[in-house]
């Protein structure tokens, strides 16, 4: 988003990868947007607009727009005139796959320059405005550069460039003689870095970085006095976060975060010198009365620049069934960026049928923070079996062992309705009868009788067969499902079998040889040029394989465009022994565009066939020139 038309209202800029366009939506200041411009992005046969930046790239005072073309390996600039119309300039070549861009006046000449991160060439390209247009200079960085930040990192008055490169951050320092030189490459505490924000996180006057990675934590990269960086975990964002924007939401001078979470919506994380994580609290969700949970861990983290000592970790009110184990933290002195862990437990009370909660108070001198804990308790009926497992011992196939009974009791305080028993097993070895009860009141029981009878299965023996008996119902009051399960097992004796000797099969017309299959594939792929001629057709067919055996076929087609190969179609399917099946495939957008043009196109078709009966993979390929269709006179 940026103010494109100069009315001090943010406008919305979008890239349309379907029609290869840049869309400008004008904002009205009331949260509504209307279409202002739909600009075609020029380029070669394959155009993929990706990132957008806004800046004054010509020194006219108007907001111009730059778009990165990922597969075109170029940057396209749209210059805005005084009437608000845009003039497109020819694409500017950069490195391979420029995914992200940034804009700033790097050389101090009054107009903005463009920085592009080239993901597949491991470079950062700086485009500066010269006498004859933009002039590019590429600087090597670590592998796979993506997100960019332009800021004066070392405080010398010249802007520097920070690039997220895989699991690292590479810094290019602005040189006094112009251009940039490698300075620092620091590994991220988390995983792959996909966003980078420059901020002063520890209030020491130096530029630090907030890194968003593919791990649930976000990372702080702090700058030391000598210009080096160290990477530490700064907070837990939870795995459902889609976007994070750092800003100052209060007046304490610490950086705060505005977080977009697909589960919890929009929320905030306030920066502080003492942070308790997870910041959304500890939740034990649903628990039955008398149930004891596994302990959940919480973390106290010193995010300030001075050491602090933890004095208190205790409940700020009634514990309501929650317990604390803070021995690792009380009396501990935390240096900057250090943390300690404590654990929270929960024993669900038997006299509560509602949500319960409590507050944990953490104090370090005059600093005091609170962490919320909660759980949902249900006092519904529940089922309990008198055994946890039943072993039927050894039973030969075809024989029936004596029946075992399992007694199930309602040990809760409310009735359970619709009690039913069923067997879960990969083998049809057990049957169950009894215990279908419409209502099982508290204290009542029923008995399920299980019979183990291994079936007669030819050609296979197993020494152990497993399964489970599950009894479930619906509890009154809460209306929730309740169940219990019993594991079942039985042993079947292994019977030695006489090996069967088979004569080798001599290849006949019904059993093709490798040479005949390969020849059939080559014959079927030869007419590919005639099939794809015309381009705009979507559903095409390639068939009459005649391979004489069943299997799976894969088809890949690529075209030679601008000195490189571009995939234009793919397909696949199963082929029967008759060879009469046809494999359907469609040209993609690049293929329809290339083959519908006026020039001949060289294509290469590759077939890959896996024969089921022969346990072998066959390949065939052909190169053809596709010439355009002649127009009728």
């Amino acid at each position: 988003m940026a103010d494109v038309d100069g009315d001090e209202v943010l406008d919305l800029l979008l890239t349309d990868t379907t029609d290869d366009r840049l869309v400008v939506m004008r904002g009205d200041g009331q949260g509504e947007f209307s279409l202002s411009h739909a600009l075609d992005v020029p380029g070669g046969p394959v155009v993929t607009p990706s990132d957008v930046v806004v800046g004054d790239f010509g020194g006219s005072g108007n907001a111009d727009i730059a778009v990165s073309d990922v597969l075109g390996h170029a940057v396209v600039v749209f210059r805005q005139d005084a009437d608000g119309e845009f003039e497109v300039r020819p694409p500017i070549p950069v490195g391979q796959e420029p995914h992200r861009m940034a804009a700033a006046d790097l050389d101090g000449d009054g107009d903005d320059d463009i920085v592009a991160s080239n993901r597949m060439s491991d470079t950062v390209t700086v485009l500066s405005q010269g006498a004859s247009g933009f002039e590019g200079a590429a600087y090597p960085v670590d592998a796979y550069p993506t997100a960019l930040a332009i800021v004066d990192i070392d405080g010398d008055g010249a802007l520097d460039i920070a690039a997220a490169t895989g699991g690292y951050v590479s810094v290019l320092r602005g040189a006094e003689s112009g251009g940039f030189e490698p300075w620092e490459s620091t590994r991220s505490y988390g995983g792959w870095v996909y966003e980078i924000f420059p901020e002063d996180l520890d209030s020491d006057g130096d530029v630090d970085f907030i890194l968003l990675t593919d791990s649930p934590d976000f990372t702080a990269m702090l700058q030391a006095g000598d210009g080096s960086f160290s990477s530490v975990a700064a907070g837990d964002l939870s795995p459902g976060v889609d976007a994070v924007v750092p800003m100052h939401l209060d007046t304490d001078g610490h950086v705060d975060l505005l977080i977009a979470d697909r589960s919890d919506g929009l929320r905030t994380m306030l920066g502080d010198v003492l942070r308790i994580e997870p910041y959304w609290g500890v939740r034990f969700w649903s628990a039955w009365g008398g149930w004891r949970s596994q302990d959940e861990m919480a973390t106290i983290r010193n995010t300030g620049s001075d050491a602090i000592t933890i004095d208190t970790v205790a409940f700020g009110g009634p514990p309501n069934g929650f317990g604390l184990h803070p021995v690792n933290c009380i009396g501990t002195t935390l240096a900057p960026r250090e943390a300690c862990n404590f654990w929270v437990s929960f024993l669900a009370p038997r006299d509560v049928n509602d949500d319960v909660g409590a507050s944990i108070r953490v104090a370090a001198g005059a600093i005091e923070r609170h962490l919320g804990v909660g759980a949902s308790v249900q006092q519904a009926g529940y089922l309990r079996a008198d055994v946890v497992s039943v072993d039927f011992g050894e039973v030969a196939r075809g024989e029936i062992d004596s029946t075992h009974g399992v007694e199930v009791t309602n040990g809760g305080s409310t009735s359970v309705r619709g009690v039913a028993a069923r067997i879960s097993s990969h083998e049809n070895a057990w049957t169950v009868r009894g215990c279908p009860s419409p209502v099982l009141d508290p204290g009542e029981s029923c008995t399920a009788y299980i019979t183990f009878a291994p079936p007669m299965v030819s050609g296979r023996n197993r020494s152990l067969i497993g399964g489970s008996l599950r009894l479930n119902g619906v509890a009154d009051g809460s209306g929730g499902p309740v169940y219990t399960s019993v594991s079942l097992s039985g042993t079947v004796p292994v019977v030695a079998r006489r090996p069967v000797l088979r004569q080798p099969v001599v290849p006949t017309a019904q059993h093709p040889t490798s040479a005949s299959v390969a020849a059939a594939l080559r014959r079927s792929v030869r007419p590919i040029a005639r099939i794809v001629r015309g381009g705009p057709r979507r559903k095409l067919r390639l068939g009459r394989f005649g391979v004489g055996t069943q299997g799976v076929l894969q088809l890949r087609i690529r075209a030679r465009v601008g000195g490189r190969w571009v995939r234009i179609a793919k397909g696949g399917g199963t082929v029967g022994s008759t060879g009469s099946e046809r494999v359907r495939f469609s040209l993609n957008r690049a293929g329809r565009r290339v083959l519908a043009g006026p020039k001949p196109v060289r294509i290469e078709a590759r077939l890959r066939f896996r024969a089921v009966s022969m346990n072998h993979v066959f390949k065939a390929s052909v190169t053809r020139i596709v010439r355009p269709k002649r127009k009728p006179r």
Side-chain angles (χ1 to χ4, degrees), residues 433-502:
R433 59 183 177 85
C435 217
S437 176
V439 180
L440 202 62
D441 292 326
E444 291 186 347
S445 61
C446 64
T447 302
Y449 298 95
I450 308 109
T451 301
F452 179 48
M456 294 295 296
V457 180
S458 60
R460 183 176 65 165
N461 287 285
R462 294 182 62 183
S463 60
L464 180 64
I465 297 178
S468 66
L469 168 69
R470 183 182 175 99
L471 300 104
N472 55 341
V474 178
D476 284 348
S478 67
V482 293
Y483 67 91
T484 187
S485 61
V486 177
S487 63
L488 307 175
S489 61
T491 304
V492 179
V494 177
V495 179
R497 293 188 178 267
R498 179 178 300 174
V500 178
L501 300 179
R502 298 180 180 179

Side-chain angles (χ1 to χ4, degrees), residues 57-58 60 64 77-81 85-87 89 129:
F57 303 130
S60 63
D64 307 318
V77 176
F78 295 86
R79 295 285 299 277
Q80 184 176 191
D81 59 20
E85 298 299 325
F86 290 92
E87 176 189 359
R89 297 300 175 90
Q129 188 68 251

Side-chain angles (χ1 to χ4, degrees), residues 158-180:
L159 291 177
D160 309 307
I161 301 173
T165 51
Y168 292 79
V169 172
S170 298
V171 176
L172 297 174
R173 180 164 53 183
E176 297 180 358
S177 58
F180 295 87

Side-chain angles (χ1 to χ4, degrees), residues 92-154:
I92 308 169
V94 291
Q96 295 183 14
E97 297 191 9
H99 272 258
R100 301 292 295 272
M101 294 191 301
D105 185 6
L106 298 175
D107 50 12
D109 61 355
D111 51 21
D112 290 328
D113 307 307
I114 301 173
V115 180
S117 60
N118 308 309
R119 186 173 184 271
M120 297 309 295
S121 57
D122 301 338
T123 58
V124 169
T125 299
V126 178
L127 299 176
S128 301
Q129 188 68 251
S132 58
F134 280 99
E135 299 175 353
Y139 299 94
V141 292
D142 286 337
Y144 306 115
T146 51
L148 295 168
I150 301 177
V151 64
D152 182 8
I153 299 176
D154 52 2

Side-chain angles (χ1 to χ4, degrees), residues 315 317-323 346 356-359 373:
F315 287 106
N320 294 329
F322 297 96
F346 180 59
V356 295
S359 176
V373 294

Side-chain angles (χ1 to χ4, degrees), residues 235-544:
D236 192 349
L237 291 178
S238 82
V241 171
D242 290 319
V244 175
V245 178
M247 58 179 58
H248 292 274
L249 299 174
D250 49 26
T251 59
D252 63 355
H254 296 286
V255 178
D256 310 311
L257 298 181
L258 184 64
I259 302 168
D261 192 314
R262 69 176 67 101
S263 300
D264 299 333
L266 196 65
R267 46 190 173 83
T268 60
M269 177 187 289
L270 300 180
D272 205 346
V273 297
L274 180 63
R275 179 177 299 154
I276 309 177
E277 302 166 2
Y279 65 94
W280 58 82
V282 176
R283 182 73 180 177
F284 290 93
W285 305 112
S286 179
W288 299 107
W291 174 79
R292 178 178 175 81
S293 72
Q294 294 183 350
D295 293 351
E296 295 288 341
M297 187 181 73
T299 302
I300 303 173
R301 191 180 303 277
N302 180 5
T303 57
S305 56
D306 299 323
I308 58 175
T309 300
I310 307 301
D311 302 323
T312 304
V313 180
F315 287 106
N320 294 329
F322 297 96
L324 267 180
H325 309 280
V327 293
N328 291 345
C329 290
I330 295 180
T332 301
T333 299
L334 300 179
R337 301 187 296 276
E338 284 189 348
C340 67
N341 301 322
F342 65 94
W343 282 262
V344 184
S345 62
F346 180 59
L347 178 62
R350 295 186 177 274
D351 56 348
V352 177
N353 191 25
D354 201 352
D355 292 340
V356 295
S359 176
I360 299 175
R361 174 178 171 268
V362 177
I367 305 173
E368 182 176 310
R369 299 293 179 263
H370 293 268
L371 176 70
V373 294
S376 178
V377 182
Q378 298 181 16
Q379 298 294 336
Y382 62 94
L383 302 177
R384 183 175 62 242
D386 61 344
V387 293
V388 295
S389 63
V390 177
D391 184 8
F392 286 81
E394 184 174 288
V395 179
R397 291 188 184 274
E399 298 181 3
I400 300 178
D401 187 27
S402 59
T403 300
H404 287 250
V406 175
E407 185 177 11
V408 181
T409 305
N410 179 3
S413 58
T414 60
S415 300
V416 178
R417 300 181 180 274
V419 178
R422 63 183 180 89
I423 297 291
S424 176
S425 174
H426 293 293
E427 296 275 356
N428 186 21
W430 284 277
T431 57
V432 60
R433 59 183 177 85
C435 217
S437 176
V439 180
L440 202 62
D441 292 326
E444 291 186 347
S445 61
C446 64
T447 302
Y449 298 95
I450 308 109
T451 301
F452 179 48
M456 294 295 296
V457 180
S458 60
R460 183 176 65 165
N461 287 285
R462 294 182 62 183
S463 60
L464 180 64
I465 297 178
S468 66
L469 168 69
R470 183 182 175 99
L471 300 104
N472 55 341
V474 178
D476 284 348
S478 67
V482 293
Y483 67 91
T484 187
S485 61
V486 177
S487 63
L488 307 175
S489 61
T491 304
V492 179
V494 177
V495 179
R497 293 188 178 267
R498 179 178 300 174
V500 178
L501 300 179
R502 298 180 180 179
Q503 296 296 326
V505 178
V506 180
T508 63
Q510 289 76 28
H511 297 84
T513 63
S514 299
S516 65
V517 174
L521 290 179
R522 288 193 295 270
R523 287 194 302 269
S524 64
V525 79
R526 284 171 185 169
I528 191 67
R530 175 177 53 81
I531 294 174
V532 301
R533 183 180 298 165
R537 292 184 300 163
R538 290 177 178 268
K539 293 186 178 180
L540 306 174
R541 294 183 299 178
L542 180 68
R544 298 294 178 184

